[in-house]
Amino acid sequence: MFAEVIVDIAHTAVDRRFTYRIPEGLPVSVGHHVLVPFGQGNHLKEGFVAALKDSADYPEIKDIAKIIEHYPVLLPDQIALAEWMKDAYHCLFVDALRLMIPAQMRGMRIKEKKVRTVTLAEGVDPEAASESLKNAPAQKRVFELVTRIGAEASVPDINAFYPGSTPAINALIKKGFLSEQSETVFRRPGKLRIHTPAYTLTDAQERAADAIRSAAARGEGDVLLLYGVTGSGKTEVYLRAIEDCLALGKQAIVLVPEISLTPQTVGRFTDRFGDRIAVLHSRLSAGERFDEWRRIRLGIADIVIGARSAVFAPTERLGLIIIDEEHESSYQSESQPRYLAGEIAARRVKASGGALVLGSATPSLLSYSRALSGKYMLLELKDRVAGRPLPTVEIVNMRDELLMGNNSIFSDKLAERLSECLALGQQAMLFINRRGYATFVSCRSCGYVLKCDNCDISMTYHKTESRTRCHYCGAVKPLPKECPNCKKPFIKQFGIGTEQVEEAVRRLFPAVKTLRMDTDTMREKGSYEKLLSAFHRKEAQVLIGTQMIAKGHDFPNVTLVGVVAADTTLNLPDYRAPERTFQLLTQVAGRAGRDSLPGRVVLQTYEPNHPIIRFAKEQDYPGFYHYEIMERRKLLYPPFSLFLRIVFADRDERTAEHACLDYAKALETELRAVLGEEGKQDLLLLVAAEAPIARISGYTRYQILIKLLRTKRLKDAVKTVSTFHDAHRGVCAETQLEINPQEMF
Ligand code: ADP
Ligand code: ZN
């Protein structure tokens, strides 16, 4: 027998299957992690068995040297998936495979954890033995403890009971009273349980859960879009759907955005399903990740809850994948392979005979359009549970405030609502999409703007640090006392950030405790959880933060949400700005009035008549969808087209510029050839120019932006760009191809 092995070396030259002989008696099967002699020196390299075959097409075949783990680490469906990813995301086969096992397994950097256990040795009479130990009290009490337990007792457990017992245990083994074994244990992350009652589902929840159950039972890889307004009880539907899936004897994967993978979320699932859950996220230790992964692989865990990469979890009996907050951009990987979790999930459930559920209060335009066209099944939860109303949204025109002479951060309305809320002992959340104190520092006399020395970006003033900081590269600078340009003392800070909002609240309500949540206050491990639970315990009345506070949280006592500046995201130079603004505003508004107390939202804006602001006021997703999809169609933006971007970065300005411009011409010629006469109109845009942020960390950046109409020729066009890019790496220090780039600057 022979095996096709993918060698674990990330290089295009060796990114293919190599044939090895399976030595007599070595139980190799598909998916095994193996060691093979490789190259001229026959150095042992790790690899993965992708397939078995009866014959080899050439005679001089080397033998597989060794099996690393006794079980196959990759499932057949994962190997097929990696094969597909290779083409779909233009990555190496091995890059895709590496996503499917814990990183520390490669290079054999992690081991199973074993503990010593002891039991009563066979044939020992407990009473007689105990009697004989009366002059050795330490041994006697350990022996009696093990007898009482009546099963395997682990040495750490015994030591927890009677500290310092190891010598006594060893003595008892030597005397033949106890026999020792070793047992594999799984290192598990915290097992917090958050008790939530098992509600009787509302009719709408029941209908949604039923539809999911039938789809999972049919097992044809159906995709269901669960569109439910904020607070409509989507989580409860997920829990029921998972129960149904387990009842079918299948496994489920739940993906949530990394930021909402808090002990609170996990605790809610753990309360329902106990040890059947495995958790995968970036804050696990290497040992925990390895062990959680093995619990899934070995079928001990039936439910996986995790961030984006958990979509690759090794579930052999996969029946259901749920993607919560499916519109979140964090479901697209930012590094190679740049996969979309939703796309991977759809393929996996199709292969395994399951169903995929996408849940959101603000579905992505693409998902909702697929639901309307019947490609996905649409499930709706139109109301909040228990007849609770959606919060009322009031819009304040900040221009009017200025005209009335109010140039503070808070409009009269927001100040008034805040004071009412606080007087009633309720809690408020204030949202501002900028961290720091002031977003830029400028001279009122000459217009000079303080910029980073390495980046083409203005410096943000951080009052708590009394200095300015670049949000791209982290560089810091003192706040100048006079203008570095005209030397006049008119340097001033502009633009509002979270720090300034917090200061304003404290000035207005000196007795009120506040908390601030942004990447500056969340640097330490565990700080996110600490802050959320402090707010839950009502240790503070006002929570101020960036989009981190907008997502998923369920604080029953929050009755007021203030959006300090609704326009900051609306005017970004990106076709997705309206969609992102609507999502953000709806999500943040949805934090108010989730329990029995009704909620209010005050939305401050300079553009009260902007359609997006109006739809956000009504929390009217379908209205927003129909408006925005028309805009996209008019301008042929995605989903009607696809953007590709190639960034050229180099320390030398000329090199980056030349690389980009030369490349653009050649690429355009090639693209036109591939598209042919019939596809003449497909290339909507191909511009080579300085990137919108022309310098980052000392690198000058140029970019080619390509926009292609979505037609049957799209696939070939993308392939052309990608092949071209691969062939021209090295034209400057860094080149990067992004398909559907998440940021346009
Ligand atoms: P969503 O994820 O849709 O925003 P959640 O699942 O967090 O909403 O539910 C909102 C609140 O309603 C939660 O506090 C939840 O415990 C509660 N809830 C959910 N379903 C029910 C139900 N059937 N009856 C009563 N309360 C419910
Ligand atoms: Zn910088």
Side-chain angles (χ1 to χ4, degrees):
M1 281 295 273
F2 300 90
E4 292 177 357
V5 175
I6 310 291
V7 180
D8 192 3
I9 300 172
H11 197 288
T12 33
V14 295
D15 193 47
R16 55 190 173 84
R17 297 163 180 235
F18 290 91
T19 302
Y20 284 89
R21 189 193 324 277
I22 302 174
E24 199 77 33
L26 198 65
V28 172
S29 48
V30 171
H32 259 120
H33 190 197
V34 293
L35 283 177
V36 291
F38 191 73
Q40 295 202 319
N42 279 335
H43 294 297
L44 288 185
K45 293 280 175 201
E46 289 171 50
F48 303 95
V49 176
L52 300 182
K53 54 186 185 183
D54 297 329
S55 59
D57 13 357
Y58 55 99
E60 292 197 5
I61 301 252
K62 299 175 199 171
D63 279 6
I64 289 181
K66 190 174 180 264
I67 291 182
I68 300 173
E69 285 86 7
H70 60 84
Y71 55 92
V73 300
L74 296 169
L75 301 169
D77 91 287
Q78 292 178 309
I79 296 170
L81 183 65
E83 183 94 62
W84 173 82
M85 289 175 70
K86 188 172 127 102
D87 283 338
Y89 304 120
H90 314 287
C91 62
L92 301 179
F93 202 153
V94 68
D95 278 338
L97 290 180
R98 284 176 180 180
L99 292 169
M100 301 181 190
I101 63 170
Q104 310 275 335
M105 280 175 82
R106 300 176 34 240
M108 292 159 277
R109 288 166 294 162
I110 189 100
K111 284 206 181 71
E112 290 181 11
K113 186 173 174 186
K114 303 249 186 216
V115 291
R116 244 178 6 129
T117 60
V118 290
T119 46
L120 197 59
E122 225 164 299
V124 171
D125 171 20
E127 266 168 45
S130 192
E131 182 59 27
S132 78
L133 291 169
K134 62 177 186 287
N135 293 326
Q139 292 178 33
K140 188 167 153 68
R141 66 182 187 201
V142 167
F143 181 78
E144 284 171 358
L145 177 67
V146 175
T147 313
R148 276 203 308 279
I149 291 170
E152 283 190 7
S154 84
V155 172
D157 284 351
I158 297 170
N159 274 310
F161 224 87
Y162 299 125
S165 289
T166 304
I169 296 168
N170 291 340
L172 289 165
I173 293 166
K174 215 157 168 198
K175 288 180 182 166
F177 289 172
L178 297 181
S179 62
E180 80 175 313
Q181 302 82 26
S182 89
E183 185 183 88
T184 307
V185 289
F186 293 101
R187 288 150 285 197
R188 300 236 33 218
K191 279 192 269 182
L192 178 76
R193 291 182 176 218
I194 304 282
H195 186 65
T196 44
Y199 298 107
T200 319
L201 296 191
T202 63
D203 288 348
Q205 285 174 317
E206 197 77 58
R207 275 195 302 276
D210 280 350
I212 299 170
R213 179 177 347 113
S214 325
R218 258 198 318 278
E220 289 169 1
D222 291 341
V223 183
L224 302 93
L225 177 64
L226 177 61
Y227 156 54
V229 300
T230 56
S232 58
K234 292 185 287 294
T235 312
E236 214 55 44
V237 174
Y238 301 154
L239 292 168
R240 168 69 71 84
I242 295 166
E243 272 169 24
D244 292 340
C245 171
L246 298 195
L248 292 170
K250 295 184 173 183
Q251 292 166 300
I253 299 175
V254 185
L255 301 185
V256 300
E258 176 85 42
I259 187 86
S260 21
L261 253 180
T262 58
Q264 275 79 9
T265 320
V266 178
R268 228 170 133 178
F269 282 83
T270 307
D271 183 54
R272 256 341 133 78
F273 300 111
D275 278 340
R276 301 183 80 171
I277 299 234
V279 184
L280 293 174
H281 59 71
S282 63
R283 297 186 301 281
L284 300 183
S285 69
E288 287 168 349
R289 180 164 315 121
F290 177 56
D291 287 353
E292 289 292 84
W293 180 90
R294 276 189 315 132
R295 288 176 60 244
I296 303 161
R297 175 63 191 90
L298 303 174
I300 299 167
D302 293 315
I303 305 157
V304 183
I305 164 157
R308 177 179 66 219
S309 62
V311 75
F312 297 107
T315 44
E316 219 165 354
R317 299 169 276 119
L318 184 60
L320 183 66
I321 300 182
I322 293 168
I323 304 184
D324 190 29
E325 311 284 358
E326 67 91 26
H327 62 277
E328 282 280 315
S329 58
S330 64
Y331 288 122
Q332 161 139 33
S333 166
E334 301 263 275
S335 52
Q336 265 296 15
R338 290 170 181 271
Y339 65 90
L340 275 168
E343 205 167 35
I344 300 287
R347 291 201 73 84
R348 286 204 75 185
V349 296
K350 187 127 209 159
S352 70
L356 167 63
V357 175
L358 308 173
S360 177
T362 53
S364 69
L365 286 177
L366 187 62
S367 297
Y368 198 72
S369 74
R370 285 179 176 164
L372 292 185
S373 72
K375 203 168 167 198
Y376 295 170
M377 186 188 292
L378 183 61
L379 310 173
E380 286 181 87
L381 302 175
K382 291 185 175 141
D383 303 300
R384 285 190 162 181
V385 291
R388 289 168 202 156
L390 279 171
T392 33
V393 181
E394 299 173 279
I395 292 189
V396 179
N397 185 349
M398 292 306 275
R399 283 185 215 282
D400 294 346
E401 296 289 313
L402 271 182
L403 290 178
M404 289 185 314
N406 176 9
N407 55 7
S408 73
I409 292 177
F410 300 126
S411 59
D412 288 351
K413 175 74 86 194
L414 182 51
E416 188 188 317
R417 294 286 180 225
L418 196 52
S419 125
E420 284 167 11
C421 163
L422 298 176
L424 289 167
Q426 298 167 357
Q427 289 174 297
M429 286 164 86
L430 296 176
F431 169 74
I432 173 86
N433 209 11
R434 296 254 194 266
R435 65 195 166 96
Y437 186 85
T439 47
F440 65 102
V441 174
S442 168
C443 171
R444 275 179 299 164
S445 176
C446 74
Y448 168 87
V449 174
L450 188 67
K451 284 200 170 177
C452 174
D453 296 336
N454 314 314
C455 312
D456 186 20
I457 283 290
S458 51
M459 299 293 279
T460 299
Y461 177 53
H462 288 252
K463 194 168 184 176
T464 47
E465 305 168 37
S466 319
R467 59 186 181 181
T468 69
R469 198 208 287 255
C470 167
H471 284 183
Y472 271 79
C473 74
V476 293
K477 273 190 190 188
L479 184 68
K481 289 203 171 50
E482 56 178 39
C483 175
N485 184 40
C486 70
K487 312 288 177 219
K488 291 196 183 125
F490 297 128
I491 207 96
K492 195 177 179 287
Q493 311 116 28
F494 296 89
I496 303 160
T498 45
E499 283 182 22
Q500 200 173 147
V501 174
E502 186 174 39
E503 188 183 273
V505 175
R506 287 180 174 166
R507 210 179 309 120
L508 220 49
F509 307 99
V512 164
K513 275 213 168 346
T514 60
L515 286 169
R516 176 160 61 90
M517 180 182 279
D518 51 35
T519 40
D520 296 319
T521 60
M522 297 295 108
R523 286 190 210 285
E524 258 171 64
K525 189 176 153 97
S527 50
Y528 184 69
E529 287 79 8
K530 235 186 271 165
L531 196 146
L532 286 179
S533 55
F535 195 57
H536 245 293
R537 288 194 304 269
K538 302 183 194 164
E539 285 167 21
Q541 264 191 292
V542 183
L543 174 63
I544 297 136
T546 55
Q547 64 255 49
M548 280 187 174
I549 66 168
K551 290 163 192 172
H553 310 301
D554 196 19
F555 299 112
N557 200 41
V558 169
T559 55
L560 177 69
V561 165
V563 178
V564 176
D567 323 283
T568 46
T569 50
L570 194 54
N571 297 316
L572 291 176
D574 186 321
Y575 71 92
R576 279 161 301 202
E579 182 180 11
R580 287 192 178 145
T581 306
F582 178 82
Q583 285 166 346
L584 205 51
L585 293 178
T586 310
Q587 295 287 346
V588 70
R591 297 313 111 210
R594 293 173 66 84
D595 208 59
S596 43
L597 303 166
R600 273 186 186 287
V601 180
V602 178
L603 210 155
Q604 303 190 147
T605 173
Y606 287 95
E607 294 175 75
N609 293 319
H610 194 294
I612 296 297
I613 301 287
R614 305 201 71 87
F615 289 124
K617 172 176 160 52
E618 302 303 329
Q619 296 163 74
D620 175 10
Y621 176 81
F624 154 76
Y625 171 81
H626 290 292
Y627 166 81
E628 187 59 20
I629 203 83
M630 287 298 282
E631 294 291 302
R632 298 272 184 100
R633 194 192 311 271
K634 258 192 273 176
L635 299 165
L636 290 177
Y637 279 140
F640 305 100
S641 61
L642 178 74
F643 276 104
L644 305 174
R645 177 169 89 143
I646 308 168
V647 178
F648 302 80
D650 202 287
R651 286 198 177 276
D652 178 57
E653 207 179 312
R654 312 290 306 167
T655 309
E657 183 185 356
H658 275 293
C660 177
L661 300 182
D662 296 351
Y663 191 111
K665 267 188 229 113
L667 179 58
E668 181 165 359
T669 315
E670 197 152 318
L671 255 181
R672 294 215 179 275
V674 168
L675 291 170
E677 189 57 29
E678 202 192 342
K680 239 169 86 179
Q681 313 293 333
D682 288 11
L683 184 60
L684 297 169
L685 185 80
L686 190 151
V687 283
E690 208 172 45
I693 296 178
R695 240 151 63 87
I696 293 182
S697 302
Y699 282 77
T700 298
R701 303 164 80 239
Y702 274 77
Q703 69 175 29
I704 302 177
L705 193 62
I706 301 167
K707 188 175 159 197
L708 286 160
L709 198 62
R710 229 172 242 284
T711 64
K712 59 178 194 295
R713 294 171 292 273
L714 182 68
K715 223 178 146 196
D716 287 337
V718 172
K719 183 134 192 128
T720 307
V721 177
S722 141
T723 312
F724 200 88
H725 171 249
D726 281 343
H728 291 76
R729 281 177 207 274
V731 287
C732 62
E734 261 177 54
T735 65
Q736 195 170 56
L737 167 66
E738 290 163 81
I739 298 166
N740 184 25
Q742 284 298 309
E743 304 292 346
M744 302 289 258
F745 38 80

